[in-house]
Amino acid sequence: MQADDWYVYAAIGLLALCSLITRAGYMVFGDYLPLPDGLRRALRYAPAAALTAIVVPDLLPWRAGVGPVFDLKLVAALVAVAVYLRTRNAVLVIVSGMAALWLLRWAFG
């Protein structure tokens, strides 16, 4: 073990502790620290915001100096959204989106 290894282990330990506190904090201290109603209402939108933050950069890739670039994945996603609005069936959304992407890649790729 080298002399500078303590820094790495301390950083890992502190990050693990911070992760544990933030994840388990509301289960442990939830009764003693109730959330305000405004914050509770805002937290209902957190899953949709996280999903949007994951999906949108993949559908609209960003190139430096150019901006958002059109991609076939965006068209396939729009097909999947249209199928969902028509049928409300999650399996058909996946199948139609992938079929549209494969067909578009075959036709234009």
Side-chain angles (χ1 to χ4, degrees):
M1 190 179 293
Q2 296 178 358
D4 292 335
D5 286 345
W6 68 270
Y7 179 77
V8 174
Y9 292 126
I12 291 171
L14 287 174
L15 288 172
L17 182 65
C18 289
S19 179
L20 178 69
I21 290 171
T22 57
R23 293 171 191 259
Y26 285 108
M27 289 188 289
V28 174
F29 302 114
D31 294 335
Y32 305 110
L33 300 170
L35 294 175
D37 289 334
L39 184 58
R40 284 183 190 267
R41 282 193 306 270
L43 284 176
R44 284 189 292 186
Y45 299 105
L51 185 61
T52 302
I54 293 169
V55 170
V56 168
D58 194 44
L59 295 179
L60 285 174
W62 191 275
R63 288 198 187 140
V66 177
V69 179
F70 179 76
D71 193 15
L72 295 176
K73 290 186 251 181
L74 179 61
V75 178
L78 292 175
V79 169
V81 167
V83 168
Y84 174 75
L85 292 175
R86 180 82 174 147
T87 65
R88 305 283 185 197
N89 187 336
V91 174
L92 282 179
V93 169
I94 295 169
V95 170
S96 65
M98 286 306 300
L101 182 62
W102 290 337
L103 285 172
L104 288 167
R105 283 189 177 168
W106 177 75
F108 297 107

